[in-house]
Amino acid sequence: MPEPEPTAPSPEEIRRRNVEFFLDRAEEALHQGLLIYPAGASAYDYYLRARQLDPDNRRAAGGIQAIVIEFVERARNALRKRSFGEVNTYLSRAEELAPGNPLVMEVRAQLARELSRARQDLPQGESLELPVGQLDAKSDAVVALLHRAAERIRNDGLRVIIVARTDAEGRWIYQQLREAVPGYRVRGDIKLGSPPRLLLQLGGNTE
């Protein structure tokens, strides 16, 4: 007696299997740190596909919430380092995934307070921004920019506040300023902040 042919899966069974497939791929991508990139193969993209097939799926909703929380935590860490540009980047990504999320709004408020304090901590002066990419590479172009700034500091008797993302970066910038004007004492201070820049102020050397 011939065996009965297997029954084809129902549309509901196909949908359920696809949901499970996308959820498994999402969690694998999440484990690898592929939160929103690459496009089409990120944890967020897979969770989104699962939700399109099953809008009330709790695993998909929880996974997207986990991604939002990860970006919020990264923003908080950046805020502790006073890397304000990074904070805004992470919060913007979180807001794209979950508009109006209370955690994002809370950190956004903290960022506003820290920016206000930073403005009070940094006296007004002419701001000279340092290109981040060139600064990271310690390129000849940024060294030349710092040398020109040092000559102006010496010639105009200015004081400088170096705003840097890290202590090491601030010390490197100060070293470039000193080496550009040997024998001259560059007066100033280093403060952590972002974006990196020089604040040139009156009241430097009077010698």
Side-chain angles (χ1 to χ4, degrees):
M1 184 175 179
E3 295 183 3
E5 293 184 5
T7 304
S10 67
E12 174 60 25
E13 179 64 17
I14 293 173
R15 184 188 69 85
R16 188 187 66 77
R17 290 179 184 178
N18 285 335
V19 169
E20 290 298 318
F21 170 79
F22 288 132
L23 289 173
D24 290 342
R25 294 295 299 271
E27 289 169 5
E28 181 181 345
L30 191 64
H31 181 71
Q32 295 175 355
L34 306 176
L35 304 184
I36 59 175
Y37 298 111
S42 69
Y44 175 70
D45 287 319
Y46 288 129
Y47 281 129
L48 200 58
R49 292 182 191 179
R51 289 192 74 177
Q52 288 169 346
L53 294 172
D54 184 4
D56 297 324
N57 189 278
R58 292 184 179 181
R59 281 176 63 191
I64 292 174
Q65 178 68 3
I67 296 172
V68 172
I69 290 173
E70 175 63 23
F71 281 131
V72 169
E73 286 305 308
R74 293 184 185 185
R76 283 176 172 153
N77 289 335
L79 188 60
R80 282 191 282 270
K81 297 185 293 184
R82 296 174 72 81
S83 297
F84 300 132
E86 284 186 53
V87 177
N88 195 57
T89 296
Y90 289 134
L91 291 181
S92 295
R93 289 175 180 171
E95 285 173 331
E96 289 176 7
L97 306 185
N101 185 281
L103 292 176
V104 177
M105 295 171 66
E106 176 187 336
V107 180
R108 180 77 67 190
Q110 292 173 358
L111 173 61
R113 290 194 294 270
E114 289 300 319
L115 284 171
S116 178
R117 291 193 187 102
R119 293 188 188 101
Q120 294 173 4
D121 291 342
L122 295 174
Q124 294 299 312
E126 180 182 344
S127 180
L128 178 62
E129 291 199 13
L130 303 175
V132 171
Q134 295 180 15
L135 189 59
D136 288 341
K138 298 181 179 178
S139 68
D140 293 342
V142 78
V143 170
L145 186 155
L146 291 170
H147 283 199
R148 291 194 297 271
E151 291 172 357
R152 183 176 169 197
I153 290 168
R154 178 190 60 190
N155 295 340
D156 295 343
L158 301 177
R159 183 174 184 273
V160 61
I161 292 180
I162 299 168
V163 182
R165 295 166 293 177
T166 65
D167 287 328
E169 182 177 80
R171 289 193 297 270
W172 183 84
I173 293 171
Y174 183 67
Q175 180 183 356
Q176 303 310 306
L177 295 175
R178 287 188 58 188
E179 290 178 357
V181 285
Y184 181 84
R185 183 182 176 188
V186 176
R187 295 182 184 273
D189 195 7
I190 298 173
K191 290 186 178 291
L192 295 182
S194 182
R197 60 199 184 278
L198 303 180
L199 289 175
L200 305 180
Q201 306 167 331
L202 295 175
N205 264 318
T206 56
E207 299 173 1

